[in-house]
Amino acid sequence: MRSSQTPVGGLAAFGVGLALFAVAAALDLRVGDAVVPEWTEEPGWTFAAIGLVQAGLGVVVLWHRHRHPFGWALIGLGMLWVLDGLAQSYVRLAVHEQEALPGLTWVLWFLFRFTAVLPMNAAAVLLLFPDGLPRGRWRAAGWTSLALMGAGLALFLVVPSTQTEIDASLAALVPGVDTDPTSIEALRPAAEQVVTLSWVLGSVGFVLALVTVVARYRASRDRERERMRWLAWAVLVMVLLIATSLVVDVPALNAMLLGAALLVGPVAMVIAIVRPDVVSVENLLVRTLVYGGISVVIVLVDLLALAIISATLGDAFGQREVVLLVLLLAAILYGPMRLRIEAWVRRLVLGERRDPYSVVASLASTLERTDDDGSQLAAVVEAVSTAFGLSYVQVEVDRSAGERLVASRGVRPDDVRSFPIAYRSRTIGRLTLPAHGVRNHLTSRDEILLADVVRQAAGAIRASQLSDELQRSREGLVLAREEERRRIRRDLHDGLGPSLSAVVFRLESARLTVTSDPASADEQLAETRDVVQDIIKDVRRLVHDLRPPALDDRGLVGALSQLAEHADAAVDVRVVADLDGALPAAVEVAAFRIASEAMNNTLRHAHARTCSVSLTADPDELVVEVADDGVGIAADAKPGVGLLSLRERAAELGGSVDLRCPDHGGTIVTARLPLHARMEP
């Protein structure tokens, strides 16, 4: 986030650096092309320019992240480079004019001694990237590295000079100059050992700082890991630039390569802090590895070919032939090598995502061999993790009974993003991946592959779920049928059977007494009539349980309207229907049961004022919707027996029931029942 405060101190430091750079350039122009000793051959303005760029980068950091310690460390490093360049230019002028210019002694001291603090400042820059010193035990390691480098620097400042050749050359060119104003003469006998100790302390401190940075990179996660990858890319580029400068024997080009190597690190770190997503680190890493590897291999092949030709033909192979050979080898090797190296690097950095057929085929083979939902989810997690090289993958699938099946791999990061898993436009689960990191960056091609993998997995998982649901449905139908038969048998045997036997007994008794005792026979017939009426009620109850009579008498809309008329007067229940033609009997019963159960839930629990029941049908399905303006259902509430029974009734016909609670309140139950065989009236 950009700071609202202007970095006044940073801008002031940059202004001073710019002025010092101008002075160094002016001094170098005064020297011109004059011959100077080798140790002052490089003009100072080149070093000052490097420092000025570093200081400017530090100002950019402070502009976006006010008071960020990395910004100030980078400005300090840049100012040291500027002062080093200015000192170089000043000394070159003094040597050119062979005159002890004012302050030359301390300028030489700074040039030869104090600029040894550059490695220490560079280590501080690394330790402060990207968000200050590391935490925990590695913070102590960071301070220890700086302390070791500081001790080495202190020794180097007081030890007598061991550069006798340079001192003698300088004394001959500029008489009367003291190159050791801070040296302690008592240390001269052991000067070599003290210098070695200083070098060892500084080297150990710098290596410890690098180890701390590497440990911080390995422990980083999410956004910090993404920023640290910019530093990894910068180190890779620096290695390639320095290696190229060692191979190429062109002084001007070598100077440019070394300057670029010194600046690529600060530039990459500033981008990582300010705008890490300005370009894809993935593409930078892959392309750098690919083209760097190609260049190295081609150069080695060219050198080998030239060595063989030189050994066999000697001087018969001219410069023109050498150039043609180099171009020919580069043309022959570039294409195949680029493809092979790019494939290998992308597989190493990004996983198998560049070979989509292999990923999909491997997953398909695994899914065919497994029937268990848990094993299939584990296969999907394995396929996605392998294909994309991800450290964390989680797959969740919602089951019809309200359960949730979860499979994961790796440690869940702080920042994640989820992708829906859909089957036939219905969301059945979620795929969760890390939100940041090189391997977590998905291009459009990667997203297509991920969609193919998820689609294939969704189909297999859904097929397995449907198979399990079908088996459970069959078992449930068999159990329900047998339970229904048992209930009907019990009602007939224990209820209607004895009642009909009593009717027969009473009728026989009345027949025997009708002539001798008409009054008694009449009483027995009256009792028999009451028994028969009770039997009729039992028969009606049995019939109602099998199929509500109101459906046959009034139809589905009329039956629901009858329920609405007898509902609680405190709730205004309305039934709206848009039906064309008769419905299948099974659909009518399921719709009636679902609507009546939803209405009862509204009347009992919703504390609603209104309740609407709507029925709409098209050639494919009947939609039953029951909506109220009640208190709704809590988001963390578990589905009860009523909701499960609604879903089971719809699932028996291949339909579904959805329950949702809008933000404005209330509850909406929507049932979709397929009309496979519409009955004409």
Side-chain angles (χ1 to χ4, degrees):
M1 180 180 296
R2 180 169 176 171
S3 173
S4 59
Q5 303 183 39
T6 303
V8 178
L11 289 174
F14 180 79
V16 172
L18 184 61
L20 296 178
F21 166 78
V23 173
L27 294 177
D28 288 327
L29 287 175
R30 184 172 176 179
V31 174
D33 297 330
V35 178
V36 294
E38 183 179 355
W39 52 272
T40 60
E41 186 175 2
E42 291 293 332
W45 71 265
T46 58
F47 303 106
I50 293 175
L52 192 63
V53 173
Q54 293 175 342
L57 292 172
V59 173
V60 172
V61 173
L62 294 179
W63 191 277
H64 289 80
R65 301 280 298 275
H66 191 60
R67 296 181 180 177
H68 196 297
F70 176 84
W72 286 110
L74 197 56
I75 290 177
L77 180 62
M79 293 302 296
L80 280 176
W81 275 97
V82 171
L83 291 174
D84 182 59
L86 178 61
Q88 177 84 349
S89 300
Y90 195 74
V91 171
R92 291 178 80 243
L93 178 64
V95 170
H96 171 260
E97 298 186 356
Q98 297 186 1
E99 179 184 353
L101 300 177
L104 183 61
T105 294
W106 292 105
V107 172
L108 283 169
W109 172 83
F110 181 86
L111 182 64
F112 292 152
R113 301 297 183 113
F114 196 75
T115 48
V117 79
L118 283 172
M120 182 177 177
N121 200 303
V125 169
L126 291 174
L127 291 171
L128 291 172
F129 174 78
D131 291 312
L133 285 174
R135 302 176 181 84
R137 59 181 180 177
W138 291 109
R139 177 183 288 268
W143 282 114
T144 302
S145 69
L146 295 177
L148 290 173
M149 297 180 72
L153 174 64
L155 287 176
F156 187 74
L157 292 179
V158 298
V159 66
S161 174
T162 59
Q163 300 175 345
T164 56
E165 294 182 1
I166 296 178
D167 292 343
S169 172
L170 184 62
L173 293 173
V174 186
V177 174
D178 182 9
T179 58
D180 270 345
T182 60
S183 62
I184 300 177
E185 284 299 320
L187 296 177
R188 186 171 294 279
E192 294 287 346
Q193 292 78 3
V194 174
V195 170
T196 302
L197 177 61
S198 171
W199 182 86
V200 170
L201 289 174
S203 300
V204 171
F206 194 79
V207 170
L208 182 58
L210 294 180
V211 171
T212 303
V213 173
V214 173
R216 184 174 193 171
Y217 173 81
R218 293 175 61 87
S220 62
R221 296 174 61 186
D222 304 332
R223 188 172 295 276
E224 185 180 9
R225 169 63 66 90
E226 187 176 4
R227 288 175 172 172
M228 295 293 288
R229 287 188 187 277
W230 279 95
L231 181 57
W233 171 80
V235 171
L236 176 62
V237 174
M238 290 173 64
V239 171
L240 293 175
L241 290 174
I242 294 174
T244 304
S245 68
L246 295 176
V247 175
V248 178
D249 189 16
V250 180
L253 182 59
N254 286 345
M256 293 177 60
L257 291 174
L258 292 176
L262 290 171
L263 290 177
V264 66
V267 170
M269 288 188 284
V270 169
I271 293 175
I273 293 175
V274 176
R275 287 286 303 276
D277 56 347
V278 65
V279 294
S280 172
V281 181
E282 167 201 340
N283 291 333
L284 285 177
L285 281 171
V286 171
R287 293 182 182 276
T288 303
L289 286 172
V290 169
Y291 294 110
I294 291 174
S295 302
V296 170
V297 173
I298 289 179
V299 169
L300 292 177
V301 172
D302 288 338
L303 293 176
L304 179 62
L306 292 175
I308 294 174
I309 292 173
S310 299
T312 56
L313 300 179
D315 297 334
F317 209 67
Q319 183 177 2
R320 181 177 181 181
E321 287 77 9
V322 169
V323 173
L324 290 176
L325 176 63
V326 170
L327 293 177
L328 180 62
L329 289 175
I332 294 174
L333 295 176
Y334 179 78
M337 284 181 53
R338 186 185 69 81
L339 295 177
R340 291 180 179 274
I341 294 178
E342 184 173 11
W344 178 79
V345 171
R346 287 192 178 276
R347 188 179 301 110
L348 177 66
V349 177
L350 304 175
E352 302 289 340
R353 67 182 75 184
R354 291 294 170 177
D355 188 7
Y357 175 78
S358 175
V359 175
V360 175
S362 176
L363 178 60
S365 176
T366 304
L367 293 177
E368 287 178 357
R369 296 193 301 267
T370 56
D371 295 328
D372 178 63
D373 288 354
S375 300
Q376 289 184 334
L377 278 186
V380 175
V381 169
E382 180 72 19
V384 175
S385 177
T386 302
F388 295 92
L390 300 175
S391 60
Y392 174 78
V393 178
Q394 177 176 289
V395 177
E396 305 174 46
V397 174
D398 300 326
R399 310 190 72 170
S400 57
E403 305 170 352
R404 178 172 294 176
L405 195 61
V406 180
S408 63
R409 179 180 180 181
V411 180
R412 184 184 181 94
D414 297 331
D415 296 331
V416 296
R417 54 176 173 171
S418 297
F419 300 89
I421 300 178
Y423 180 77
R424 293 185 177 180
S425 302
R426 176 187 174 189
T427 300
I428 64 171
R430 285 151 300 282
L431 172 67
T432 303
L433 305 176
H436 304 290
V438 173
R439 293 183 173 181
N440 309 317
H441 175 75
L442 300 180
T443 64
S444 57
R445 181 178 178 180
D446 296 337
E447 291 181 354
I448 293 174
L449 173 59
L450 182 62
D452 290 338
V453 172
V454 171
R455 189 181 301 111
Q456 185 180 27
I461 294 171
R462 187 56 180 164
S464 176
Q465 288 184 349
L466 291 176
S467 177
D468 294 342
E469 292 173 5
L470 178 60
Q471 182 62 31
R472 288 195 299 268
S473 178
R474 287 175 176 173
E475 295 173 357
L477 289 174
V478 172
L479 292 175
R481 182 187 65 193
E482 294 304 320
E483 288 293 332
E484 188 71 9
R485 287 179 175 179
R486 179 185 298 177
R487 183 184 65 80
I488 294 175
R489 177 185 177 279
R490 183 175 61 249
D491 290 343
L492 292 176
H493 181 272
D494 298 339
L496 290 179
S499 298
L500 291 175
S501 298
V503 169
V504 172
F505 176 77
R506 291 177 183 276
L507 289 176
E508 183 63 21
S509 176
R511 186 182 66 80
L512 295 175
T513 59
V514 68
T515 56
S516 59
D517 190 358
S520 178
D522 183 68
E523 183 179 352
Q524 290 177 351
L525 290 174
E527 293 176 354
T528 302
R529 180 194 61 197
D530 295 337
V531 173
V532 170
Q533 289 178 346
D534 291 338
I535 292 174
I536 293 173
K537 292 180 180 179
D538 290 339
V539 171
R540 287 178 175 174
R541 180 179 56 80
L542 287 173
V543 171
H544 184 275
D545 289 341
L546 294 175
R547 175 177 170 85
L551 290 177
D552 295 326
D553 298 339
R554 295 171 172 260
L556 177 60
V557 178
L560 292 176
S561 299
Q562 186 180 38
L563 286 179
E565 292 172 359
H566 293 85
D568 188 351
V571 182
D572 181 16
V573 182
R574 299 180 181 180
V575 179
V576 180
D578 182 13
L579 304 177
D580 182 15
L583 301 173
V587 175
E588 277 191 331
V589 174
F592 179 80
R593 300 291 189 195
I594 291 173
S596 60
E597 177 68 22
M599 289 170 59
N600 288 334
N601 288 338
T602 296
L603 297 175
R604 293 175 183 173
H605 310 295
H607 304 290
R609 295 187 301 273
T610 61
C611 176
S612 64
V613 181
S614 65
L615 305 170
T616 56
D618 57 31
D620 297 321
E621 67 179 5
L622 170 68
V623 179
V624 181
E625 182 177 280
V626 180
D628 63 59
D629 60 353
V631 296
I633 300 175
D636 56 349
K638 295 183 178 180
V641 177
L643 179 59
L644 293 178
S645 67
L646 296 183
R647 288 175 172 167
E648 289 175 355
R649 289 185 183 277
E652 290 175 356
L653 300 178
S656 63
V657 172
D658 176 62
L659 184 145
R660 58 190 179 90
C661 298
D663 296 336
H664 55 76
T667 305
I668 300 176
V669 177
T670 304
R672 300 182 181 276
L673 306 176
L675 300 175
H676 300 297
R678 176 183 284 274
M679 296 177 56
E680 298 297 334

